Amino acid sequence: MKLDYTLNLFGTASAVLLMASCANNQGTGDAEVAQKPNIIYIMADDLGYGDLGVYGSEHIKTPNIDKMAEKGMMFTRHYAGSPVCAPSRCVLMTGKHTGSAVIRGNKQAEPSGQLALPDEEVTVAELMKDAGYTTAMIGKWGLGVQNTEGEPSEQGFDYYYGYLDQVLAHNYYPEYLIRNGESELLPNEVQYLDTTAWHKGLGSYSTVKEVYSNDLFTQDALKYIEEHDDTSFFLYLPYTIPHNNGEAPDGEKQEVPDLGIYADKDWP
């Protein structure tokens, strides 16, 4: 399997995209037709471009991303469509400028849940399906919840797993994640917050942290890649890291399983 990488600057709200094109050949003969290249589109949430070693950071170590940049190509003028999550993701999925994109803010729809991307919008996943690709979204969606026209399964994705509402995605140790419309409970214990607040009670933090969602995304993505190695696939992998949990108590807003080499750093 041949891997080609592109490291892209993506502005403020969803800062860095890594795209791996995995070109597989069916069979070994020179005359055999090459399979369409698989595309893995990895997005980091709220990561500043200057926080990566390859873009000049001397404080945070990012050796694996740096290696991808060294072996591939770097884009330095690839900007987010908006400084906040939902409209930025709408721009990414539809290719529209923010001025004409239908979602222009982090608006919660009544009675609760993320404002849905309308069915008439054409997404990159729908275009990939038209081109013969199998499609998947693993991670944070933010463009519509279950049983709405914005659900990933209604926007071109054959498979999805993760968070649909972006407020629930602030908690990296959630009560549940959603797989193809079905909620799967996790052993974390979650405290939900005031229903009169802006987040309509969807803001939360965990008092017992057993399972880290981003680890589950990686495991599911690897499984998906292995199971679809003989097909042409488009995998959209929008992690939630390093976006913090603004609703968590002070001192617990940056949720990570282990501080690692930064445990002794005196950083806020």
Side-chain angles (χ1 to χ4, degrees), residues 53-74:
V54 69
Y55 285 115
S57 175
E58 297 179 356
H59 302 290
I60 300 173
K61 308 301 179 184
T62 56
N64 293 318
I65 295 176
D66 295 351
K67 287 180 182 177
M68 294 177 74
E70 291 171 3
K71 295 181 179 180
M73 177 173 56
M74 293 174 59

Side-chain angles (χ1 to χ4, degrees), residues 20-37:
S21 174
C22 318
N24 300 329
N25 290 325
Q26 300 286 0
T28 56
D30 292 337
E32 302 213 31
V33 178
Q35 181 180 326
K36 295 178 182 177

Side-chain angles (χ1 to χ4, degrees), residues 141-152:
W141 176 239
L143 295 174
V145 298
Q146 293 154 287
N147 302 315
T148 71
E149 56 189 351
E151 188 173 1

Side-chain angles (χ1 to χ4, degrees), residues 164-232:
L164 295 186
D165 186 279
Q166 63 188 19
V167 179
L168 293 175
H170 290 174
N171 187 341
Y172 290 2
Y173 295 87
E175 179 185 9
Y176 63 90
L177 292 173
I178 302 172
R179 189 188 309 272
N180 293 335
E182 299 294 328
S183 298
E184 295 184 356
L185 292 177
L186 300 173
N188 305 312
E189 294 185 12
V190 177
Q191 176 67 52
Y192 289 94
L193 302 174
D194 191 352
T195 58
T196 64
W198 68 269
H199 51 69
K200 312 287 187 185
L202 297 179
S204 70
Y205 65 94
S206 293
T207 55
V208 176
K209 302 178 180 181
E210 295 286 345
V211 181
Y212 186 60
S213 60
N214 289 283
D215 286 343
L216 296 180
F217 298 155
T218 298
Q219 294 165 15
D220 204 57
L222 291 173
K223 180 181 178 182
Y224 182 87
I225 292 168
E226 292 172 356
E227 292 179 347
H228 293 81
D229 186 53
D230 60 347
T231 62
S232 294

Side-chain angles (χ1 to χ4, degrees), residues 9-15 77-84 87-89 91 98:
L9 174 76
F10 193 57
T12 304
S14 304
R77 296 183 182 180
H78 184 58
Y79 296 99
S82 173
V84 291
S88 185
R89 291 164 190 273
V91 167
T98 312

Side-chain angles (χ1 to χ4, degrees), residues 17 59 90 92 94 96 129 133 142 161 218 262 264-265:
L17 298 171
H59 302 290
C90 179
L92 179 63
T94 65
K96 289 186 175 181
K129 281 181 64 67
Y133 280 78
Y161 175 65
T218 298
Y262 306 105
D264 297 327
K265 295 288 186 181

